[in-house]
């Protein structure tokens, strides 16, 4: 069983390493998004560099990476769902297929939350829908994707802590929140300095 879990974690990392922003940018736009904007391989930078359609596509595909990893594990190796899902998020941030320069794991974390809510706890509204709404409300008020991401995933961690009893799921979401927050450390400094970029489309 341990070998199966380790294999699932490795495959989760490799699946998470698929750099959709890089693939879509190069295949459809002949553009390496790492050379523009923040240089980040995430949906926000893809949207900034390539346009809204490309950005939304990247966000969905990045979310589906973690969703499918957790879903497939629950079907075949339930014990591997959490560690493989976490490895998928790590793979997104440090992709072996893109020189270990990836995104910030926001979309992949939301994909993890949706899958965990649907297949592990049976509470997708609490674990995904409400945090997503909090993300959108925070984005509407602040116009900052970075702040909204931290607040949205933080709300998922809090809701999971008080509204369900699976401590492994709870711990995994706190780990993801800390990881996502760490990945946004430069954004947090810019927020403090009042220099963080704000969206104009909402």
């Amino acid at each position: 069983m341990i070998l199966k879990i380790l294999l699932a974690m490795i495959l989760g990392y490799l699946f998470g390493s698929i750099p959709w922003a890089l693939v879509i940018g190069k295949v459809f736009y002949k553009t390496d998004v790492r050379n523009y904007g923040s240089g980040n391989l995430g949906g926000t930078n893809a949207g900034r560099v390539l346009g809204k359609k490309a950005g939304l596509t990247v966000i969905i595909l990045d979310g589906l990476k973690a969703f499918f990893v957790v879903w497939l594990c629950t079907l075949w190796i339930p014990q591997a769902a959490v560690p493989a899902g976490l490895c998928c998020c790590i793979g997104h941030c440090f992709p072996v297929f893109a020189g270990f320069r990836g995104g910030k794991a926001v979309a992949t974390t939301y994909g993890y939350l949706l899958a965990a809510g649907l297949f592990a706890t049976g509470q997708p509204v609490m674990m995904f829908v409400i945090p997503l709404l909090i993300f959108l409300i925070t984005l509407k008020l602040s116009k900052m994707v970075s702040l909204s991401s931290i607040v949205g995933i933080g709300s998922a961690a809090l809701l999971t802590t008080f509204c369900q009893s699976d401590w492994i799921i709870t711990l995994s979401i706190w780990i993801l929140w800390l990881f996502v927050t760490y990945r946004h450390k430069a954004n947090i400094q810019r927020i403090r300095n009042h220099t963080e970029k704000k969206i104009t489309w909402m």
Side-chain angles (χ1 to χ4, degrees):
M1 180 57 68
I2 293 177
L3 290 177
K4 289 183 178 179
I5 293 174
L6 288 174
L7 178 59
M9 292 171 66
I10 292 171
L11 292 175
Y13 168 78
L14 293 174
F15 198 57
S17 287
I18 300 173
W20 286 119
L22 185 62
V23 172
I24 290 173
K26 286 194 171 184
V27 172
F28 296 102
Y29 298 87
K30 309 302 179 185
T31 300
D32 187 335
V33 297
R34 294 174 297 182
N35 297 327
Y36 302 92
S38 66
N40 189 274
L41 283 180
T44 300
N45 194 49
R48 186 182 299 122
V49 176
L50 305 174
K52 294 179 183 178
K53 183 178 179 180
L56 181 60
T57 301
V58 170
I59 289 171
I60 293 172
L61 290 173
D62 284 344
L64 287 175
K65 290 191 293 190
F67 179 86
F68 280 119
V69 165
V70 175
W71 175 48
L72 292 173
C73 282
T74 58
L75 292 177
W76 291 312
I77 316 173
Q79 299 90 335
V82 169
L86 293 177
C87 285
C88 182
C89 293
I90 293 172
H92 173 76
C93 293
F94 307 105
V96 67
F97 304 127
F100 301 100
R101 291 175 55 198
K104 296 179 180 177
V106 175
T108 47
T109 294
Y110 272 99
Y112 176 86
L113 293 174
L114 178 57
L118 285 172
F119 309 121
T121 68
Q123 296 177 308
V125 173
M126 178 196 69
M127 292 186 63
F128 175 78
V129 176
I130 294 176
L132 181 60
L133 288 175
I134 291 174
F135 167 87
L136 293 172
I137 292 170
T138 306
L139 185 61
K140 176 68 174 179
L141 295 174
S142 71
K143 310 298 182 184
M144 291 183 284
V145 176
S146 55
L147 177 63
S148 304
S149 301
I150 294 169
V151 171
I153 295 171
S155 71
L158 286 172
L159 287 168
T160 304
T161 299
F162 294 108
C163 299
Q164 64 91 45
S165 59
D166 190 327
W167 70 269
I168 295 178
I169 294 291
T170 298
L171 179 61
S172 71
I173 297 174
W174 279 110
I175 290 172
L176 284 172
W177 177 73
L178 289 171
F179 186 54
V180 168
T181 300
Y182 172 76
R183 293 289 289 170
H184 283 88
K185 60 184 183 298
N187 302 83
I188 293 171
Q189 186 60 50
R190 288 195 294 270
I191 291 172
R192 289 174 176 171
N193 296 334
H194 304 288
T195 57
E196 177 70 337
K197 292 182 179 179
K198 297 185 177 183
I199 61 171
T200 57
W201 46 268
M202 178 183 276

